[in-house]
Amino acid sequence: MTDTRIPTARLGAQGPEVGVQGLGCMGMSFAYGPTDADQARAALDRALELGVTLYDTADAYGAGENERFLAPFFRAHRDQVVIATKFALSIPEDDPTKRIIRNDPPYIRAAVEASLQRLGVDVIDLYYMHRRDVNVPIEESVGTMAELVREGKVKHLGLSEVTAEELRAAHAVHPIAAVQSEWSLFSRDIEAHVVPAARELGVALVPYSPLGRGFLTGAFADAAKDLTADDFRRQQPRFTGDNAAANAALLEPLRAIAAAHDATPAQIALAWVQQRAAVDSLPVIPIPGTRKASRVEENVAATRITLTEDELDRLEPIAGKVAGDRYADMTFTSAGREA
């Protein structure tokens, strides 16, 4: 493993230049079972050494705990990192296990102030609407987000899990730098409408869960059997029971191609996502999540793998055969609302 820094790409027509692979930080303090804070901090440091500059969090990750955990790292490297965080998933005081989607202007303003305080910074580089409340006109929500840009609290705007129509409506109010959605060998629904719209508008794609939440790496075979009780993946239909068994059988081409490249299945899965930038002619900056420096090194190495046309063809059928949706309730995703 060399220390050569990864190439860069721009988030949107006027957005910041970032490494072509970012880092999803949610699992460092939320959703994926027990974590080791020292290992997570080492992963952050190693990522920066290798040219990873986009760091992704959200106010809902651990009810603000993830933002607080990342704050010392961000402050120590403020001029080197691009901070991305999100609003929209409100946590009721009487039930911290629930999430209520809110896009109304008063909530957005309260959320940004709280995130700035937890992060310990004066401005957020990329501020996402985490999920879409269809009861609030997107023009109204993005209008408020645009005011935050004018006030110097936010530099660039992003959206997560929006439809192509919602993206176009938002972009007409204020330039959108990035759209975040799940995109992997197992999840390709955004290619039908969202990807073409992003390409048309000059918006970058930021795929989350590019490793299928770890399933594509072989880290687990059945969430109910292999993961701790507090692991979020136990709630996702494709990772348990008959669905998990059927989906595990789809990984053979991935393992075979990995062996041919002397690489890991994770690296091939990531290389496939990275290569969508060339295939679909738009910036693609995946944000694989990890809590270990060794995994950061493994993931970053995938940016140097190019898959052949034959290999891409062998991987092409996988998504169409996946059993189970990516969430139990798909109405919160772009695919669940796409006409």
Side-chain angles (χ1 to χ4, degrees):
M1 178 73 194
T2 68
D3 282 359
T4 302
R5 292 170 65 87
I6 58 176
T8 61
R10 187 170 295 282
L11 287 173
Q14 300 172 342
E17 197 87 8
V18 297
V20 294
Q21 186 179 112
L23 182 62
C25 301
M26 179 179 76
M28 293 180 177
S29 52
F30 175 71
Y32 291 157
T35 187
D36 183 304
D38 289 337
Q39 285 190 347
R41 282 189 282 268
L44 292 167
D45 291 337
R46 187 62 177 137
L48 189 59
E49 289 173 354
L50 296 174
V52 174
T53 55
L54 177 63
Y55 294 82
D56 185 88
T57 182
D59 59 3
Y61 297 162
E65 184 55 37
N66 198 235
E67 289 180 326
R68 282 188 285 267
F69 173 77
L70 294 167
F73 172 76
F74 289 156
R75 288 195 298 269
H77 304 285
R78 188 64 189 97
D79 294 337
Q80 299 169 272
V81 300
V82 173
I83 301 171
T85 193
K86 316 177 193 73
F87 73 88
L89 299 182
S90 175
I91 304 172
E93 291 184 6
D94 60 344
D95 189 349
T97 66
K98 288 186 177 180
R99 301 289 186 271
I100 298 172
I101 299 177
R102 291 188 60 181
N103 292 172
D104 56 285
Y107 180 78
I108 295 171
R109 288 197 162 276
V112 75
E113 295 296 345
S115 283
L116 286 167
Q117 184 175 24
R118 284 189 294 265
L119 292 165
V121 297
D122 296 326
V123 61
I124 293 166
D125 299 310
L126 178 60
Y127 200 42
Y128 285 103
M129 177 192 295
H130 203 163
R131 289 293 185 271
R132 170 91 172 95
D133 178 0
V134 296
N135 297 310
V136 179
I138 197 163
E139 294 86 352
E140 184 177 329
S141 303
V142 176
T144 301
M145 295 168 72
E147 291 173 4
L148 300 181
V149 175
R150 290 192 289 272
E151 293 165 12
K153 296 175 181 179
V154 170
K155 290 184 180 179
H156 305 284
L157 303 185
L159 303 170
S160 180
E161 291 288 0
V162 292
T163 67
E165 182 180 354
E166 291 163 349
L167 172 58
R168 289 191 175 95
H171 196 75
V173 175
H174 188 278
I176 302 299
V179 167
Q180 187 173 129
S181 188
E182 188 165 353
W183 199 6
S184 73
L185 284 168
F186 264 28
S187 301
R188 299 181 58 180
D189 48 71
I190 65 167
E191 293 174 28
H193 302 287
V194 177
V195 169
R199 180 172 58 244
E200 168 196 326
L201 298 171
V203 177
L205 253 295
V206 178
Y208 70 82
S209 299
L211 296 174
R213 299 192 184 274
F215 195 85
L216 290 167
T217 73
F220 69 99
D222 187 318
K225 297 176 181 177
D226 302 336
L227 303 178
T228 57
D230 58 348
D231 196 300
F232 166 72
R233 290 168 289 187
R234 291 166 65 100
Q235 304 170 27
Q236 295 185 291
R238 61 180 47 166
F239 298 141
T240 58
D242 292 342
N243 285 348
N247 292 336
L250 300 175
L251 301 181
E252 182 52 39
L254 185 63
R255 288 191 287 265
I257 293 169
H261 281 265
D262 193 22
T264 65
Q267 288 172 324
I268 299 304
L270 273 175
W272 181 89
V273 177
Q274 301 274 177
Q275 212 157 324
R276 300 310 300 187
V279 172
D280 291 302
S281 301
L282 79 169
V284 177
I285 297 92
I287 48 170
T290 185
R291 300 173 284 196
K292 296 181 179 179
S294 60
R295 293 300 186 196
V296 169
E297 293 173 354
E298 179 183 347
N299 292 344
V300 165
T303 65
R304 297 191 290 275
I305 296 174
T306 301
L307 302 175
T308 67
E309 288 298 325
D310 176 67
E311 289 168 339
L312 292 173
D313 288 343
R314 290 162 63 190
L315 296 170
E316 182 68 23
I318 291 177
K321 299 177 181 178
V322 172
D325 285 329
R326 48 194 180 97
Y327 291 101
D329 184 352
M330 287 290 286
T331 62
F332 300 124
T333 71
S334 59
R337 299 191 308 279
E338 201 73 71

